[in-house]
Amino acid sequence: MNIMSFLTPKDSTYYLDSNSTIRQALEKFDYHKFSIVPLIDEEGHFISTISEGDILRFVKNNCNFDIELAENVRIDELEKYRPYKYLDITCSPKDVFDLLLDQNFIPMVDGRGMFIGIIKRKEVLTYFYKELNLK
């Protein structure tokens, strides 16, 4: 089984640039209805993930939060409560399965740490559902 056959490539994946502001992140989360997305730098390296919860914790802890603050704080400055782990393309199927037990998707990187896409838990489960002829 080729794990990379489950890859949703970067150009079909939603992610945020590490220079994005809280407001830009909130708008993207709201529009796409995601709760967590990969965070990459301007060169395309995977940095971390950012979640709605990370943003909400920032808002809660900054009682004077306003839209101007949301336009001036970059998301890479926020504390990440539970960032998703990533894997590189040399990983084993076991690595993928182990990580998908705890994450809805796995950010994937190449040998240079460049973000190349994600492997979704749903895609892997769907594959096995079909392979096992479950009905």
Side-chain angles (χ1 to χ4, degrees):
M1 174 174 56
N2 181 358
I3 287 300
M4 296 312 289
S5 65
F6 296 111
L7 183 77
T8 301
K10 178 182 176 181
D11 63 355
S12 298
T13 303
Y14 296 104
Y15 55 87
L16 286 167
D17 183 284
S18 60
N19 291 320
S20 299
T21 65
I22 292 176
R23 181 176 182 164
Q24 290 168 324
L26 288 171
E27 289 170 353
K28 196 162 208 173
F29 279 121
D30 184 43
Y31 181 79
H32 295 292
K33 309 299 185 228
F34 291 124
S35 59
I36 188 166
V37 296
L39 188 62
I40 63 171
D41 68 14
E42 54 276 338
E43 295 172 353
H45 295 97
F46 176 77
I47 302 294
S48 186
T49 53
I50 187 81
S51 71
E52 289 177 317
D54 296 332
I55 295 172
L56 289 173
R57 271 183 287 289
F58 177 83
V59 169
K60 176 187 76 85
N61 294 328
N62 291 276
C63 296
N64 295 327
F65 185 82
D66 61 22
I67 200 66
E68 186 175 321
L69 180 60
E71 292 172 342
N72 292 314
V73 176
R74 292 179 12 188
I75 56 175
D76 63 350
E77 299 171 12
L78 301 182
E79 180 180 346
K80 315 301 187 289
Y81 175 70
R82 190 179 154 241
Y84 277 17
K85 296 177 182 168
Y86 69 92
L87 292 173
D88 68 32
I89 57 175
T90 63
C91 69
S92 71
K94 183 181 182 327
D95 295 333
V96 171
F97 298 138
D98 288 346
L99 206 45
L100 285 177
L101 290 173
D102 295 323
Q103 299 179 183
N104 291 326
F105 68 88
I106 302 170
M108 298 298 294
V109 300
D110 65 13
R112 302 168 297 149
M114 302 297 277
F115 176 67
I116 59 171
I118 63 174
I119 293 179
K120 301 175 192 172
R121 178 191 295 162
K122 181 178 180 179
E123 298 297 323
V124 173
L125 288 175
T126 300
Y127 169 81
F128 282 107
Y129 186 85
K130 290 177 182 175
E131 283 294 306
L132 297 172
N133 292 316
L134 297 175
K135 294 184 183 190

